[in-house]
Every structure is written in structure tokens, then in C-alpha cells.
């Protein structure tokens, strides 16, 4: 379903939960609403579903205004954060609920539920009650229940929040495949950037009720348009004045944000582009499972960087040199990604 | 006042020795509890039946078959049959309004629901006399039209409704608050209308608490004395409920008849407790 939202606002008293949010979503895409907790993501989702009334603004489904329609009339499926399964009904009856509302013939409904049980890997669990299921199974039931009446739009509120880490990973992949197969327009809310990046075709970053940026995960990572997005997506180091770093002298004095993966650490004897290297001292090292996380003190800064397990390990106190490949320079309003100028020095000095 | 707590026998937990009191403390506590229970509860209960049957079973049944006694039983049942359904509907409506909507004066409403518990029953009865009695606000209006409320059945029903007002609502509000509105919202997002949501989603979730509230409400409706006594007028065979009948018989030194009627009320209490335990047990088993 093609969705368009114009100047959506929601205020509780004088507090704005959502402020002037506008966006359009293509049919069949999988969108992640990403942002910190309490940022207004869930409110946007609930307004799309009709569970919350906008203070002002317009919502269009397929060109038709819907903001005054009750949730029953919007043709949506909603997966709640805590699943909100009907406790007193079996899994089968839960999934069949929406079909019963549509007054589908019993036989047809039964076939549809069986098909969904099969699809969601719940075959044989139809007779169980929600409290007899694991978190992941409940999540699948909630999903099956939401898509049973064949909604045009599927809305998921923090679908993986209540599931433990390992199952969550499996479920993410499962959900992605499922939605690709069903080709249903989907919007999900998450505060976990890893989840958004992994699952969504497109991400909308929401902060303090406003839409900060909308784009593919790669675009948002590569070219954040606001300081908030730069800081929220991925890890980052903050430096007060980026023009004092080697390779960025030509920049005007402004704050800079540097991702750890954009910093390379060299021991003496490693590294080539001397003019781009900043001297520093290793202050601490942490083993992060797949990589070393190293804190390097250089001038007034303490920067976090990664070092591959393949390379020689670093010790605290080692004198090293670091290469900052690129950083995100920003002021109060906007920012831009800047490459290290000396990396492409026309006359590099080799040692 | 009414019993509003739900205590279930906790599963025996094996406590480590450093948390357990010495044996003599344990036995002392258990002994005191049992002694008190026997003295204050079991002994009076047994006395009722002993006194009722003192002059033989024939006299006991004769006392119950007496015209005025039968009329009192009928009236008691009638009052409960009107008051309980009314408070059932009101209780659900109030609990629904308080837990599913936000509105001004919500806290005031919650406090008001408790009012019948905090007001002495005698005052409750008096209030109705002052409103509907011959010298009350609506007194002239009612007597002109020959409508009798005070010293008649309508007054008894009114005061009983007032006194038993909070039971159902009080049982439902905490439960519905804890359950929130997520399941209702899920049903709405699946296309269900308000009526279907109520019958298929809300009601099944509150049915045990509702039943529990109704049982307590019924017990109180049949047993209420103070408020009903003020408005009833004690007209034999007409406006006497069972508790009032007991008092009259007792005041006339007709002890065995008084205790016979009292035994009915005790029986009702025992049945209520039995049903209540059954409900709790069923509910517990359902949750396992």
C-alpha cells in the first residue's frame, strides 16, 4: 500500500510527542522507524493504525484520507510489543479471530489458519494457549494473527524487544524473508540500530518527535544529514575541533564525529602515509569478541578505534600512530562527511 | 465491613534454617491462631446450630415454615435478585469507564465508589429516609402520587443496592487496570467492533473476578441489616428480610425460631465461602 503522511502532529497538553512529520512510503517496502526510546516512534505507528488520534496532519492510504477512520476500517495488521495475544484463546483461535470478524466461512478460515501455522513454523501448536508458548513462538503467533485477514499494511511495535538475543537474530532473518515473500508494506519500530540496519529496506530516524532522516541503511550510515543521526547510527568519537587533526587542517574549526571503524592504528613500522598520521599512546584495550577495541590518546583527544585480531596485538602504553580515514564535521544545524585530505597527498613521503 | 482480601493458601516453601524460627515459636504462633479462630469463629457458628436444634428438628422446620419466616425468605431473595444484577451491570460499566478511558474526575469517581464501604450502614439507611421519607425531599411528591418507597420493598432494594454497590467494581478495577487495553486494541486492529471486543476479549478475561464480585455482593445483599433496618419499618410478613426477622424473633424471646432463621443465613455464608473457594480453585487451575 502506498502511504503518505503530511505534517503529522501529536501533542499531549503542551508537550509534542510527534512534530511536523511528513513522509511517503512505496508499496511493498519494509521500513524501520529507528530512534531512542520516548522519541515518538510508537506514537507515529499508533497513529497510522488509528489507535491514537493525531492532533493535526493528514494520513493517506492509497490516496484516501484515513486519519478519521477507526482502526477497524483501515485494513491494517498490528503486532504489539508484548504481543497482546488473547490469553483465553488457543493459538488457532487467536489466528482465526480476524477471519471470524470478516465472517469467513468456517472451512475457508480453517484452511487459512492451517496455512499460516505452517508458514510460521507453528504446525501442531494450534491447540496450545499463549502461556504455554516461548517468547519466539508468541511472536510468530502475533505475526500470524496480524496477517491472517490479509491487511494492506503491517505495523510492528518493537517486535523483538522481549526476546532473548540469540532467538532475536533468527527471528529477524525469518521476519525479513516472510515479508519479502508476502510482499506486504511493513513498518516496524525499533530502538536497536543493528536491527533496523539488518531488517529494513529503508530507515526513518526519529528523534524528539521529528523525522531526522529517511534513507537506505547504507545512505544513513554513509551520509548522515544531521548530527543526531551521525551520533545515533554506529559508534562514534566526538572531537571539539576537527581542524586540529592531521589531514583535516584545511577544514574550518568545527566539531567532528569519528567512527571507530574509520580509524586505523599503526605500530612503528606499519603504515605508509606519514603526513596523514597522528601520533598517540594506547590507553586501554578491550577484547570485543571479534575485534580489539582500543582507546588511543592523541593530543587532547581520547579516541576509540578497532584493531583486527589478525594484526599484532597492542599493549597499554604502546606508542602508535593513527590514521583517521574520514570524519563527520558538523555544527548546530547540519554536517558533512569529510575525507582525510592527506591520504590522497599528491606527493606522499614513503618510508 | 466486607472481606475484600483474597488470600490463597500459599504453597509451602521450604525455608532455609537460618530464616526459620525455632520450633516452640512456630507452635506458639499456630496455637494462638487456632485458639483465637475456635473462640471467635467456630464456637459462635456451632452455637447457632446448637440453639436452633435445641428443641428438636420438628420445631426447627416448623419455625422455618411459619408464614412470616417464609415471607422474609422470599423478600430476601427478591431483594438480592434485583440488587445483584443492577450492581453487576453498574460494576462492569464503572470498571470499564475507569480503566479504559481518561476523563476528568476519574479519581473522584473511584473514591465515590468506595463511599458505601466507608459510611456506616445506618447512615446509608437514614439518607434514603431523608430523601424519600414522608418528611423528606421527595416525600410530598411521592405521597401525592401514592408511591411508597420508605417502609416498603422499593426502599429496601434501594438501600441494598447502595450498600452492595462497590463489590463488583472493586473486584474488577485492579484486574482491568493490570490487564491494560492491549488485547482490546489488538482486537480492534483485527476489525472487531466494540460489542464483539467486549464479549470475546474483555469478558472472558474478567469472568472469574466478576463471579467473585457477584458472590460477595450477593452475600452482603442477603445479610445486610443496619441500612435495611432503618428503611424497612419492620412490618411483619411484608418488609422484614431474614436478618430483620431474626432480630424480631430474638427480641420476643423466641430463641429457637430466631436461631433457626439465623442458621439459614449462616448456611448462606457457608455456601458462599464454598462457592468462592471453588471459583478460586477453578481459576487457579486454569492458570496452571
Amino acid at each position: 500500500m502506498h502511504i503518505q503522511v503530511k505534517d503529522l502532529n501529536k501533542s499531549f497538553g503542551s508537550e509534542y510527542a510527534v512534530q511536523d512529520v511528513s513522509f511517503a512510503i512505496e508499496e511493498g517496502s519494509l521500513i524501520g522507524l529507528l530512534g531512542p526510546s520516548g522519541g515518538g516512534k510508537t506514537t507515529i505507528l499508533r497513529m497510522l493504525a488509528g489507535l491514537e488520534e493525531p492532533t493535526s496532519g493528514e494520513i493517506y492510504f492509497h490516496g484516501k484520507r484515513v486519519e478519521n477512520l477507526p482502526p477497524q476500517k483501515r485494513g491494517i495488521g498490528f503486532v504489539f510489543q508484548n504481543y497482546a495475544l488473547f490469553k483465553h484463546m488457543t493459538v488457532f483461535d487467536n489466528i482465526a479471530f480476524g477471519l471470524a470478524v470478516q465472517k469467513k466461512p468456517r472451512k475457508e478460515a480453517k484452511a487459512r489458519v492451517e496455512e499460516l501455522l505452517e508458514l510460521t513454523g507453528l504446525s501442531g501448536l494450534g491447540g496450545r494457549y499463549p502461556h504455554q508458548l516461548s517468547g519466539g513462538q508468541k511472536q510468530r503467533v502475533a505475526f500470524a494473527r496480524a496477517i491472517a485477514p490479509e491487511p494492506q499494511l503491517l505495523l510492528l511495535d518493537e517486535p523483538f524487544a522481549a526476546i532473548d538475543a540469540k532467538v532475536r537474530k533468527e527471528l529477524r532473518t525469518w521476519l525479513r524473508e516472510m515479508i519479502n515473500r508476502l510482499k506486504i508494506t511493513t513498518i516496524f519500530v525499533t530502538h536497536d540500530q543493528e536491527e533496523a540496519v539488518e531488517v529494513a529496506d529503508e530507515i526513518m530516524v526519529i528523534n524528539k518527535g521529528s523525522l531526522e532522516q529517511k534513507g537506505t541503511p547504507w545512505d544513513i550510515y554513509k551520509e548522515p544529514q544531521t548530527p543526531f543521526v551521525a551520533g545515533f547510527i554506529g559508534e562514534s568519537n566526538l572531537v571539539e575541533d576537527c581542524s586540529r587533526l592531521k589531514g583535516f587542517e584545511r577544514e574550518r574549526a568545527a566539531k567532528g564525529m569519528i567512527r571507530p571503524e574509520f580509524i586505523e592504528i599503526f605500530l612503528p613500522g606499519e603504515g605508509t602515509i606519514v603526513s596523514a598520521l597522528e601520533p598517540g599512546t594506547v590507553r586501554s584495550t578491550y577484547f570485543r569478541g571479534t575485534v580489539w577495541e582500543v582507546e588511543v590518546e592523541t593530543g587532547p583527544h581520547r579516541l576509540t578505534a578497532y584493531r583486527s585480531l589478525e594484526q599484532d596485538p597492542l599493549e597499554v602504553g604502546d606508542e602508535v600512530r593513527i590514521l583517521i580515514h574520514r570524519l563527520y564535521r558538523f555544527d548546530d544545524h547540519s554536517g558533512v562527511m569529510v575525507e582525510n585530505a592527506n591520504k590522497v597527498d599528491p606527493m606522499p613521503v614513503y618510508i | 465491613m466486607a472481606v475484600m482480601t483474597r488470600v490463597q493458601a500459599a504453597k509451602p516453601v521450604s525455608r532455609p534454617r537460618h530464616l526459620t524460627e525455632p520450633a516452640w515459636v512456630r507452635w506458639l504462633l499456630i496455637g494462638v491462631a487456632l485458639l483465637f479462630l475456635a473462640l471467635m469463629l467456630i464456637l459462635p457458628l456451632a452455637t447457632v446450630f446448637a440453639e436452633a436444634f435445641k428443641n428438636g428438628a420438628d420445631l426447627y422446620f416448623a419455625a422455618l415454615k411459619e408464614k412470616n419466616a417464609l415471607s422474609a425468605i422470599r423478600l430476601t431473595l427478591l431483594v438480592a435478585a434485583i440488587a445483584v444484577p443492577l450492581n453487576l451491570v453498574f460494576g462492569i460499566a464503572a470498571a470499564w469507564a475507569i480503566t479504559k478511558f481518561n476523563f476528568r474526575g476519574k479519581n473522584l469517581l473511584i473514591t465515590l465508589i468506595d463511599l458505601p464501604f466507608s459510611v456506616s450502614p445506618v447512615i446509608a439507611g437514614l439518607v434514603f429516609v431523608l430523601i424519600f421519607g414522608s418528611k423528606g425531599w421527595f416525600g410530598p411528591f411521592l405521597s401525592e402520587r401514592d408511591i411508597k418507597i420508605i417502609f416498603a420493598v422499593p426502599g429496601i432494594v434501594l438501600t441494598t443496592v447502595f450498600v452492595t454497590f462497590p463489590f463488583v467494581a472493586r473486584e474488577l478495577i485492579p484486574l482491568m487496570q493490570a490487564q491494560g487495553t492491549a488485547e482490546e486494541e489488538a482486537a480492534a486492529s483485527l476489525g472487531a467492533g466494540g460489542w464483539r471486543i467486549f464479549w470475546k476479549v474483555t469478558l472472558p478475561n474478567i469472568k472469574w473476578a466478576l463471579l467473585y464480585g457477584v458472590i460477595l455482593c450477593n452475600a452482603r445483599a442477603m445479610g445486610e441489616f443496619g441500612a435495611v433496618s432503618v428503611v424497612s419499618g419492620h412490618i411483619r410478613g411484608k418488609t422484614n428480610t431474614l436478618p430483620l426477622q431474626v432480630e424480631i424473633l430474638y427480641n420476643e424471646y423466641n430463641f429457637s425460631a430466631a436461631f433457626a432463621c439465623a442458621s439459614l443465613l449462616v448456611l448462606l455464608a457457608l455456601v458462599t465461602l464454598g462457592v468462592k473457594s471453588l471459583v478460586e480453585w477453578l481459576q487457579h487451575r486454569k492458570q496452571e
Side-chain angles (χ1 to χ4, degrees), chain B residues 167-213:
Chain B
F167 284 96
V168 174
R170 272 278 126 197
E171 276 300 316
L172 293 184
I173 290 168
L175 178 74
M176 287 169 81
Q177 256 165 357
Q179 284 180 343
T181 50
E183 284 188 42
E184 277 87 2
E185 286 184 340
S189 77
L190 290 165
W195 198 242
R196 181 187 287 265
I197 293 177
F198 177 74
W199 286 105
K200 297 280 180 184
V201 178
T202 309
L203 196 60
N205 275 336
I206 61 170
K207 66 178 177 213
W208 293 116
L210 192 63
L211 196 56
Y212 192 87

Coordinates of all heavy atoms in Angstrom, one line a residue, chain B residues 167-213:
Chain B
F167 N -18.9 -3.8 45.5 CA -18.3 -5.1 45.4 C -17.7 -5.5 44.0 O -16.6 -5.8 43.9 CB -19.2 -6.2 45.9 CG -19.4 -6.2 47.4 CD1 -20.4 -5.6 48.0 CD2 -18.5 -6.9 48.2 CE1 -20.6 -5.6 49.4 CE2 -18.6 -6.9 49.5 CZ -19.6 -6.2 50.1
V168 N -18.6 -5.4 43.0 CA -18.2 -5.9 41.7 C -17.1 -4.9 41.1 O -16.1 -5.3 40.6 CB -19.4 -5.9 40.7 CG1 -19.0 -6.2 39.3 CG2 -20.4 -7.0 41.2
A169 N -17.4 -3.6 41.2 CA -16.5 -2.6 40.7 C -15.1 -2.8 41.3 O -14.1 -2.8 40.6 CB -17.0 -1.2 40.9
R170 N -15.1 -3.0 42.6 CA -13.8 -3.1 43.4 C -13.0 -4.3 42.9 O -11.8 -4.3 42.9 CB -14.1 -3.2 44.9 CG -14.2 -1.9 45.5 CD -12.8 -1.3 45.9 NE -12.6 0.0 45.3 CZ -11.5 0.6 45.2 NH1 -10.4 0.0 45.5 NH2 -11.4 1.7 44.6
E171 N -13.7 -5.4 42.6 CA -13.0 -6.6 42.2 C -12.4 -6.4 40.8 O -11.3 -6.8 40.5 CB -14.0 -7.8 42.1 CG -14.2 -8.5 43.4 CD -12.9 -9.1 44.0 OE1 -12.1 -9.6 43.2 OE2 -12.7 -8.9 45.2
L172 N -13.2 -5.7 39.9 CA -12.8 -5.6 38.5 C -11.7 -4.5 38.3 O -10.8 -4.7 37.4 CB -14.0 -5.2 37.6 CG -15.1 -6.3 37.5 CD1 -16.2 -5.9 36.6 CD2 -14.5 -7.6 37.1
I173 N -11.8 -3.4 39.0 CA -10.9 -2.3 38.6 C -9.4 -2.7 38.7 O -8.7 -2.5 37.7 CB -11.2 -1.0 39.5 CG1 -12.5 -0.4 39.1 CG2 -10.1 0.0 39.4 CD1 -13.1 0.6 40.0
P174 N -8.9 -3.3 39.8 CA -7.5 -3.6 39.8 C -7.1 -4.6 38.7 O -6.1 -4.4 38.0 CB -7.2 -4.2 41.2 CG -8.5 -4.0 41.9 CD -9.6 -3.6 41.0
L175 N -8.0 -5.6 38.5 CA -7.7 -6.6 37.4 C -7.6 -5.9 36.0 O -6.7 -6.1 35.3 CB -8.7 -7.6 37.4 CG -8.6 -8.7 36.4 CD1 -7.4 -9.6 36.8 CD2 -9.8 -9.5 36.2
M176 N -8.6 -5.1 35.7 CA -8.6 -4.5 34.4 C -7.5 -3.5 34.2 O -7.0 -3.3 33.1 CB -10.0 -3.9 34.2 CG -11.1 -4.9 33.9 SD -12.7 -4.3 33.9 CE -12.9 -3.6 32.3
Q177 N -7.1 -2.8 35.3 CA -6.0 -1.9 35.3 C -4.7 -2.7 34.9 O -3.9 -2.3 34.1 CB -5.8 -1.2 36.6 CG -6.3 0.2 36.5 CD -6.5 0.9 37.9 OE1 -6.3 0.2 38.9 NE2 -6.9 2.1 37.9
A178 N -4.6 -3.8 35.6 CA -3.4 -4.6 35.3 C -3.3 -5.2 33.9 O -2.3 -5.3 33.3 CB -3.3 -5.8 36.3
Q179 N -4.5 -5.5 33.4 CA -4.5 -6.1 32.1 C -4.3 -5.1 31.0 O -3.9 -5.4 29.9 CB -5.9 -6.8 31.8 CG -5.9 -8.1 32.6 CD -7.2 -8.8 32.4 OE1 -8.2 -8.3 32.0 NE2 -7.2 -10.1 32.7
G180 N -4.7 -3.8 31.2 CA -4.5 -2.8 30.2 C -5.4 -2.9 29.1 O -6.4 -3.7 29.1
T181 N -5.1 -2.2 28.0 CA -6.0 -2.2 26.8 C -5.4 -2.9 25.6 O -6.0 -2.8 24.5 CB -6.4 -0.8 26.5 OG1 -5.2 0.0 26.3 CG2 -7.3 -0.1 27.5
A182 N -4.3 -3.5 25.8 CA -3.6 -4.1 24.6 C -4.4 -5.1 23.9 O -4.5 -5.1 22.6 CB -2.2 -4.7 25.0
E183 N -5.1 -6.0 24.6 CA -5.8 -7.0 23.9 C -7.0 -6.4 23.2 O -7.4 -6.9 22.1 CB -6.3 -8.1 24.9 CG -5.2 -9.0 25.3 CD -5.7 -10.2 26.1 OE1 -6.7 -10.8 25.8 OE2 -5.0 -10.6 27.1
E184 N -7.6 -5.4 23.8 CA -8.8 -4.8 23.1 C -8.2 -4.1 21.8 O -8.9 -4.1 20.8 CB -9.4 -3.7 24.0 CG -10.4 -4.3 25.0 CD -9.8 -4.8 26.2 OE1 -8.6 -4.7 26.4 OE2 -10.5 -5.4 27.1
E185 N -7.1 -3.4 21.9 CA -6.5 -2.8 20.8 C -6.2 -3.8 19.7 O -6.4 -3.5 18.5 CB -5.3 -2.0 21.1 CG -5.6 -0.7 21.9 CD -4.4 0.1 22.2 OE1 -3.2 -0.5 22.2 OE2 -4.5 1.3 22.5
A186 N -5.7 -4.9 20.1 CA -5.4 -5.9 19.1 C -6.6 -6.4 18.4 O -6.7 -6.5 17.1 CB -4.7 -7.1 19.8
A187 N -7.7 -6.5 19.1 CA -9.0 -7.0 18.5 C -9.5 -5.9 17.6 O -10.0 -6.2 16.5 CB -10.0 -7.2 19.6
A188 N -9.3 -4.6 18.0 CA -9.8 -3.5 17.1 C -9.0 -3.5 15.8 O -9.6 -3.3 14.8 CB -9.7 -2.2 17.9
S189 N -7.7 -3.7 15.9 CA -6.9 -3.7 14.7 C -7.2 -4.9 13.8 O -6.9 -4.8 12.6 CB -5.4 -3.7 15.1 OG -5.0 -5.0 15.5
L190 N -7.8 -5.9 14.4 CA -8.2 -7.0 13.6 C -9.6 -6.8 13.0 O -10.2 -7.7 12.4 CB -8.1 -8.3 14.4 CG -6.7 -8.8 14.7 CD1 -6.7 -9.8 15.8 CD2 -6.0 -9.3 13.5
G191 N -10.2 -5.7 13.3 CA -11.5 -5.4 12.7 C -12.7 -5.6 13.6 O -13.8 -5.3 13.2
A192 N -12.5 -6.0 14.8 CA -13.7 -6.3 15.7 C -14.3 -5.0 16.2 O -13.6 -4.1 16.6 CB -13.2 -7.2 16.9
G193 N -15.6 -5.0 16.3 CA -16.3 -3.8 16.8 C -16.4 -3.9 18.3 O -16.0 -4.9 18.9
G194 N -16.9 -2.8 18.9 CA -17.0 -2.7 20.4 C -17.7 -3.9 21.1 O -17.2 -4.4 22.0
W195 N -18.8 -4.3 20.5 CA -19.6 -5.4 21.1 C -18.9 -6.7 21.1 O -18.8 -7.4 22.1 CB -20.9 -5.5 20.3 CG -22.0 -6.2 21.0 CD1 -22.6 -7.3 20.6 CD2 -22.7 -5.8 22.2 NE1 -23.6 -7.7 21.5 CE2 -23.6 -6.8 22.5 CE3 -22.5 -4.8 23.1 CZ2 -24.5 -6.8 23.6 CZ3 -23.3 -4.7 24.2 CH2 -24.3 -5.7 24.5
R196 N -18.3 -7.0 20.0 CA -17.5 -8.2 19.8 C -16.3 -8.2 20.8 O -16.0 -9.2 21.4 CB -17.1 -8.4 18.4 CG -16.3 -9.7 18.2 CD -15.7 -9.8 16.8 NE -16.7 -10.1 15.8 CZ -17.0 -11.3 15.4 NH1 -16.4 -12.4 15.9 NH2 -17.9 -11.5 14.4
I197 N -15.7 -7.0 20.8 CA -14.5 -6.9 21.7 C -14.9 -7.2 23.1 O -14.2 -8.0 23.9 CB -13.9 -5.5 21.6 CG1 -13.3 -5.3 20.2 CG2 -12.8 -5.3 22.7 CD1 -12.7 -3.9 20.0
F198 N -16.1 -6.7 23.6 CA -16.5 -6.9 24.9 C -16.8 -8.4 25.2 O -16.2 -8.9 26.2 CB -17.7 -6.1 25.3 CG -18.2 -6.3 26.6 CD1 -17.6 -5.8 27.7 CD2 -19.4 -7.1 26.9 CE1 -18.0 -6.1 29.0 CE2 -19.8 -7.4 28.1 CZ -19.2 -6.8 29.2
W199 N -17.5 -9.0 24.3 CA -17.9 -10.4 24.6 C -16.8 -11.4 24.4 O -16.7 -12.4 25.1 CB -19.1 -10.8 23.7 CG -20.4 -10.1 24.2 CD1 -21.0 -9.1 23.7 CD2 -21.1 -10.5 25.4 NE1 -22.1 -8.8 24.4 CE2 -22.2 -9.6 25.5 CE3 -21.0 -11.4 26.4 CZ2 -23.1 -9.6 26.5 CZ3 -21.9 -11.5 27.4 CH2 -23.0 -10.6 27.5
K200 N -16.0 -11.1 23.4 CA -15.0 -12.2 23.1 C -13.6 -11.9 23.7 O -12.8 -12.9 23.9 CB -14.7 -12.2 21.5 CG -16.0 -12.5 20.7 CD -16.1 -14.0 20.7 CE -17.4 -14.4 19.9 NZ -17.7 -15.8 19.9
V201 N -13.3 -10.7 24.1 CA -12.0 -10.4 24.6 C -12.0 -9.9 26.1 O -11.4 -10.5 27.0 CB -11.2 -9.4 23.8 CG1 -9.9 -9.0 24.4 CG2 -11.1 -9.8 22.3
T202 N -12.8 -8.9 26.3 CA -12.8 -8.3 27.7 C -13.5 -9.3 28.7 O -12.9 -9.6 29.7 CB -13.5 -7.0 27.7 OG1 -13.0 -6.2 26.7 CG2 -13.4 -6.3 29.1
L203 N -14.7 -9.7 28.4 CA -15.4 -10.5 29.4 C -14.7 -11.8 29.8 O -14.6 -12.1 30.9 CB -16.9 -10.8 28.9 CG -17.8 -11.3 29.9 CD1 -18.0 -10.2 31.0 CD2 -19.2 -11.6 29.3
P204 N -14.2 -12.6 28.8 CA -13.5 -13.8 29.2 C -12.3 -13.5 30.1 O -12.0 -14.4 31.0 CB -13.0 -14.4 27.9 CG -13.9 -13.8 26.9 CD -14.3 -12.5 27.3
N205 N -11.7 -12.4 30.0 CA -10.5 -12.0 30.8 C -10.9 -11.7 32.2 O -10.1 -11.7 33.1 CB -9.7 -10.9 30.2 CG -8.8 -11.4 29.2 OD1 -8.4 -12.6 29.2 ND2 -8.4 -10.6 28.2
I206 N -12.2 -11.2 32.4 CA -12.5 -10.7 33.8 C -13.6 -11.7 34.4 O -14.0 -11.4 35.5 CB -13.1 -9.3 33.7 CG1 -14.4 -9.2 32.9 CG2 -12.1 -8.3 33.2 CD1 -15.1 -7.9 33.0
K207 N -13.9 -12.8 33.8 CA -15.0 -13.5 34.3 C -14.9 -14.1 35.7 O -15.8 -14.0 36.4 CB -15.4 -14.6 33.3 CG -14.4 -15.7 33.2 CD -14.9 -16.8 32.2 CE -13.8 -17.8 32.1 NZ -13.8 -18.4 30.7
W208 N -13.7 -14.5 36.0 CA -13.5 -15.0 37.4 C -13.7 -13.9 38.4 O -14.3 -14.1 39.4 CB -12.1 -15.7 37.5 CG -12.1 -16.9 36.7 CD1 -11.2 -17.1 35.6 CD2 -12.9 -18.1 36.8 NE1 -11.5 -18.4 35.1 CE2 -12.5 -19.0 35.7 CE3 -13.9 -18.5 37.6 CZ2 -13.0 -20.2 35.5 CZ3 -14.5 -19.7 37.4 CH2 -14.1 -20.6 36.4
A209 N -13.0 -12.8 38.2 CA -13.1 -11.7 39.1 C -14.6 -11.2 39.2 O -15.1 -10.9 40.3 CB -12.2 -10.5 38.7
L210 N -15.3 -11.3 38.1 CA -16.7 -10.8 38.1 C -17.5 -11.8 38.9 O -18.3 -11.4 39.8 CB -17.2 -10.9 36.6 CG -18.5 -10.2 36.3 CD1 -18.4 -8.7 36.6 CD2 -18.9 -10.4 34.9
L211 N -17.3 -13.1 38.8 CA -18.0 -14.1 39.5 C -17.8 -13.9 41.0 O -18.7 -13.9 41.8 CB -17.6 -15.4 39.1 CG -18.5 -16.6 39.4 CD1 -19.9 -16.4 38.9 CD2 -18.0 -17.9 38.9
Y212 N -16.5 -13.7 41.3 CA -16.1 -13.5 42.7 C -16.8 -12.3 43.3 O -17.4 -12.3 44.4 CB -14.6 -13.2 42.7 CG -14.0 -13.3 44.0 CD1 -13.5 -14.5 44.5 CD2 -13.7 -12.2 44.7 CE1 -12.9 -14.6 45.8 CE2 -13.1 -12.2 46.0 CZ -12.7 -13.4 46.5 OH -12.1 -13.5 47.7
G213 N -16.8 -11.2 42.5 CA -17.5 -10.0 43.0 C -19.0 -10.2 43.2 O -19.6 -9.7 44.2

